[in-house]
Amino acid sequence: MTASCIIRHFEHYAELGEKDRELLASLEKTPKDYSKGTLIWQEGMDADHFYTVRSGWACSLRNMEDGSRQVVDLYVPGDVVGLRDFAFRRRASNLLTVTDASLCPFPKRRLTDVFASSRLLCNLFFLIAARDQAILVERLTNLGRRSAREKVAHFLLEMAHRLDKACVDVHDCNHLPLTQVLLADALGLSTVHVNRTLNELKQESLTALGPDGISLLDRDGLKEVAGFDPEYLDEDVESLLRSIGARAPGQQA
């Protein structure tokens, strides 16, 4: 039987026992299919459920008073959506599908059960939450201190790197189903500015534009443009696993 997306994602970090695999699989018992552009939840709604992403992409966003949007984050297969709302009663943002997607809802108490039943999974969930915080900090730097060219290249590389680490079945980790409008909303740029920047990167054979998204043709070239260092995405998993007596994938006992 093929492992679920969330199991494959967590097995990237640590060797899981059968109990841990069953606990994670229990979070993907009731998949629901959503078409592209579906609003899953709205800002201010009760934060009583989380979701795991089985397939497709989703994004969290805030609607601004002037009618514009700010994309806060994107989610790829294997991600757990809503962890930032764990300590709160209401949603702080909206959740929208970027592509056709399959998501699995589970109640907040179910995640609490997982924490209580597995020390390893509890630590890995907190590790992933810390990584999400590091992504937001880097995103703030990207928004405030980089040029439009650097912002776009950095964001594309970040998403491709996250796909690499998700260990999910995707056709091509270098293909991102992102529209220019979504990029503009994520980076605080106008769509005109994003279009101009993407065309520059295309002319330099760094990216390609298609009707279904953006393809990365030369990651090394994009890294030079963005000054991209993926260290903020590379958690210190080994130290965490040693502290609880767990093993990394493939590590000898």
Side-chain angles (χ1 to χ4, degrees), residues 6 9-10 24 27 50-53 75-84 106 111 125 128 131-132:
I6 192 171
H9 194 171
F10 274 64
L24 287 176
L27 304 183
F50 300 96
Y51 286 79
T52 57
V53 183
Y75 303 98
V76 302
D79 281 346
V80 179
V81 184
L83 286 178
R84 294 192 187 101
F106 61 93
L111 189 57
F125 267 105
I128 290 170
R131 182 210 63 177
D132 289 348

Side-chain angles (χ1 to χ4, degrees), residues 13 23 70 103 126 130 143 154 171 204 207 232:
Y13 297 104
L23 284 169
Q70 177 64 53
L103 285 80
F126 276 102
L143 288 171
H154 195 282
H171 176 65
E204 297 168 31
T207 63
Y232 71 101

Side-chain angles (χ1 to χ4, degrees), residues 206-220:
L206 299 176
T207 63
L209 305 179
D212 58 347
I214 302 166
S215 294
L216 280 60
L217 304 180
D218 183 355
R219 286 203 195 186
D220 289 336

Side-chain angles (χ1 to χ4, degrees), residues 187-205:
L187 298 175
L189 299 170
S190 68
T191 52
V192 172
H193 210 159
V194 168
N195 178 266
R196 184 185 306 123
T197 302
L198 287 174
N199 278 312
E200 288 177 2
L201 297 175
K202 177 183 176 182
Q203 291 171 7
E204 297 168 31
S205 299

